[in-house]
Each structure stands twice: as C-alpha cells, then as structure tokens.
Amino acid sequence: MKKLLPLMCFILGLSGCMSNVDSGNSEKQSEAYTTNFFAMDTYMELTAYGPNGEEAIRTAQEEVLRLDALWSISSQDGDVVQLNATAQETVSEETRQLILRSIAIHDLTGGAFECTVLPIMDLWGFTTQEYRVPSAEEIQAVLPLVDSANIEVSGNEVTLLSGTTIDLGGIAKGYTSNRIIEIFKEYGVESGMVSLGGNVQTLGHKPDGSNWRIAVQDPKLPEEFAGVVEVSDKAVITSGGYQRFFEEDGITYHHIIDPETGYPANSGIISCTIVSEDGTLADGFSTSLFVMGLERASEFWRIHQDEFDVILITDDGTLYITQGIQKSFLTQGNYLEYKLIEA
Ligand code: AMP
Ligand code: MG
C-alpha cells in the first residue's frame, strides 16, 4: 500500500498542484490547500484552491473519516458491521443511499457488481490478510449468500435475508470522492482535486484554466504509467488486480471477485479505469467492467456511453479506450498505441 504514495505525488505533479503558496493572484484564487491522511485503507490527498480552500479540506477530511467509520468492515460501531451482525438495522441516510446504488448497479450490470461478496472475500483471506486458496466445496457452500436479492430496504431499515452480508468496498471510495467535491462546492471552491489511493476526482479546471492530467497506472509495472487522460469535473477511478493480491504456487489471486464463480475474476481485463462525472458510478462500474471482460464491457459502454468512458488493459498488454475520450487520452511508457472501442 505504501507504494501508492510516490504514485499519488506523480499524479499531483502532472496535475500541477504541488505548490501550496499564493501564485500572486491578489484574489488568492489559486492558493492551494492540501491535506494528506490515511483512511478507507488507503492514502488520501485532498487539494482545494481559493479563499475557502482550507476550511473546505478540513470539513471534507472530517466527512471522509465519518463515512469510513460507517462503512469499514472493521469499524465495530459502523452501519456495515452492525447490519452484518444483526441482519436488520436502521441505517444512516448515506448508508441507505449507497446500498440502494449498489443494488441498482448490480441490476444494471447483470450481477457483475455484487456488494454481498463478503463471505467470499473472507474465504480468500482478503478481509484478514490471512490469504489462502479455499476449496471448491467451501466456495460452493457460501455462493448462495452472494445475492443482492437478499437485501431489503424499506425507508432507512435494511434487512439481510438468509445470512447474507455486505461489503461496500467496491463503491464506497467513489461515493466519498463525490461527497468531497460536493463539500468543496458548498464552500464556494471552484477548483480542486482528490486522490483516494490513486482514485481521482476533479472539480472544475486547474487554477490556470487548463485541464487536470490524470495518470493511469501500468498494471504490469505499477510504478509506471500506461497513459494520461485530461479531464475537468470528472472522476477517474481504476480497478486493478494488481492493487490487492497474493500468490500461491506461482498463481496470482486478486481481490475482484466474479460473483458467479466465487473466484477472482479471470475476464482477461487486468485494469479498468472509468472516467465519469459521477464518482459513485465510476467506482461501481470500474469493478463491474473488470468482471465483465472486454466484449461485455464494450457492449455495456455502448449502451451507457452518455454516462462514462473507459480505459481497459487486457492480459495480453493491449490498451483499449472508448471513443468519448479519444481526444483527451495519451499513451505513456510501454503503451505506444491504443485500440479504439467505437460507438
Ligand atoms: P474496486 O477496487 O473498486 O474494484 O473494489 C474492489 C473491492 O470491492 C474488493 O476489495 C471487495 O471489497 C469488493 N468487491 C470484490 N468483488 C466485487 C464485485 N464483483 N462486486 C462488488 N464489490 C466487489
Ligand atoms: Mg470500484
């Protein structure tokens, strides 16, 4: 996880917000305020420009810590831990919204997104870091619990049927970066950026009026970059098997689960980056399209192309981008060209 720190600095370097001094503008419109902290299992960096930037990042940091306590699977008083323990709870409004969004994305993606994968994550040791390869029987025994149909939401009361439990890790960071951008706006901030472990969301343009330039990691060499995408007012969120994995007998097992099989998704996609105005959607879809594989993901994008674009890298080292970001994407490093997914 510590390896992410230099990466984040590189992203911010590209984005031109390394400085936190007044650039000379008398209105202080381009003064940068930055905070770094660890939450949601990752390093976070929030930067807001302008007169209210300092208060904005302070409030945003408090909100991140509050949401982390609600949703972390190790936060004993949080909504998720409580709900998983009792199977019926009155949850906070944010938890209700995030569960409803998870179910909606589950339905949209034909079940590729499945926030009930927790027992599978447990079996593989991803929740405890005591990694192991479970037997096929163990997986079959818990697969019936992996089913969003077992979640009932009535007002703020959530019920989990038949022993099902939830894990919002596939979508929580995207919801959180959306929320931070909302807070920035409430404070009148017009330019800012957040990086939650390399998952980025931007507000407006850089203070000099140019677009933010966000680097996409090379999943085969995560210290290097496969491309850069230029955006404003967008989230750029990546799911990659290289982000959390273990090896046993020369085989790599990663943390993004195919809910149909209970095994790490083996779709051919090794990195999936979603570019969208909506951070929650970007996070939910990044996990989903990773599970879907190239063909299904391309078809899904064609149907929902007004809502997002995508950068995919497959295990043969091919980089694909969708048509909507053709003019704003540049390859980097070992990736000299891309293939275009056309509408
Ligand atoms: P992300 O990095 O956004 O792709 O999220 C990966 C995390 O989401 C994992 O660590 C699990 O907590 C959870 N997860 C794994 N597989 C799925 C899935 N198919 N649908 C939803 N969440 C998942
Ligand atoms: Mg995700």
Side-chain angles (χ1 to χ4, degrees):
M1 199 63 78
K2 288 205 170 72
K3 276 197 266 176
L4 283 172
L5 202 55
L7 166 72
M8 285 165 60
C9 295
F10 187 84
I11 293 170
L12 294 170
L14 275 171
S15 310
C17 58
M18 290 296 281
S19 114
N20 61 354
V21 293
D22 192 332
S23 68
N25 179 329
S26 58
E27 296 294 320
K28 296 198 171 188
Q29 287 304 335
S30 56
E31 191 163 358
Y33 296 92
T34 297
T35 179
N36 295 281
F37 56 101
F38 192 84
M40 298 188 172
D41 237 0
T42 197
Y43 288 101
M44 303 200 166
E45 178 148 332
L46 320 183
T47 301
Y49 290 88
N52 296 334
E54 194 169 9
E55 281 172 66
I57 58 167
R58 194 179 309 126
T59 305
Q61 180 170 349
E62 282 166 15
E63 178 69 347
V64 172
L65 297 176
R66 190 180 72 84
L67 297 177
D68 190 14
L70 278 181
W71 298 330
S72 161
I73 50 168
S74 55
S75 165
Q76 293 309 314
D77 296 333
D79 278 351
V80 166
V81 169
Q82 293 286 320
L83 179 60
N84 285 341
T86 64
Q88 188 167 58
E89 285 290 330
T90 303
V91 299
S92 65
E93 181 54 25
E94 293 86 355
T95 305
R96 185 184 85 93
Q97 281 178 25
L98 197 54
I99 291 175
L100 286 176
R101 197 70 194 276
S102 297
I103 296 170
I105 292 180
H106 166 271
D107 296 349
L108 269 179
T109 60
F113 192 84
E114 182 51 91
C115 72
T116 61
V117 289
L118 185 60
I120 299 285
M121 298 299 286
D122 279 338
L123 272 186
W124 289 90
F126 284 111
T127 47
T128 56
Q129 275 150 29
E130 287 166 27
Y131 302 118
R132 60 184 276 267
V133 179
S135 69
E137 290 75 25
E138 286 175 290
I139 290 175
Q140 287 312 313
V142 299
L143 265 185
L145 308 181
V146 179
D147 189 351
S148 286
N150 287 340
I151 309 172
E152 285 181 359
V153 182
S154 167
N156 284 66
E157 187 171 89
V158 180
T159 307
L160 302 177
L161 305 172
S162 311
T164 286
T165 50
I166 61 164
D167 164 11
L168 301 173
I171 194 167
K173 287 200 201 78
Y175 183 99
T176 303
S177 60
N178 256 2
R179 183 72 197 106
I180 295 168
I181 297 295
E182 265 174 33
I183 290 170
F184 283 7
K185 287 181 185 166
E186 285 161 18
Y187 277 86
V189 171
E190 293 174 358
S191 171
M193 184 172 78
V194 305
S195 170
L196 313 187
N199 289 325
V200 172
Q201 189 158 348
T202 62
L203 169 62
H205 291 87
K206 283 161 58 179
D208 67 5
S210 63
N211 287 324
W212 303 97
R213 303 184 68 231
I214 311 300
V216 176
Q217 264 173 290
D218 177 349
K220 290 185 186 257
L221 297 167
E223 302 291 323
E224 296 184 21
F225 300 98
V228 172
V229 60
E230 288 202 11
V231 294
S232 62
D233 281 318
K234 293 250 163 71
V236 181
I237 293 185
T238 298
S239 289
Y242 63 92
Q243 291 171 341
R244 204 184 316 165
F245 62 91
F246 69 97
E247 278 177 19
E248 194 172 299
D249 297 332
I251 302 174
T252 300
Y253 300 96
H254 62 71
H255 68 131
I256 302 172
I257 302 298
D258 181 342
E260 295 247 314
T261 64
Y263 285 80
N266 186 19
S267 69
I269 291 177
I270 56 172
S271 165
C272 172
T273 301
I274 304 287
V275 181
S276 172
E277 280 171 24
D278 180 347
T280 317
L281 175 147
D283 197 357
F285 283 5
S286 72
T287 310
S288 309
L289 272 64
F290 186 100
V291 171
M292 285 181 190
L294 178 63
E295 227 167 277
R296 248 177 96 194
S298 304
E299 209 38 57
F300 186 81
W301 172 76
R302 287 189 186 100
I303 298 165
H304 299 280
Q305 58 181 283
D306 292 345
E307 294 171 86
F308 75 99
D309 276 287
V310 60
I311 300 155
L312 297 172
I313 300 173
T314 49
D315 49 12
D316 61 0
T318 310
L319 192 156
Y320 297 81
I321 68 167
T322 52
Q323 213 173 337
I325 47 169
Q326 195 179 3
K327 293 202 173 93
S328 41
F329 182 82
L330 277 177
T331 56
Q332 297 268 303
N334 292 326
Y335 295 80
L336 303 176
E337 55 185 30
Y338 58 74
K339 289 193 174 165
L340 195 62
I341 300 173
E342 292 183 64

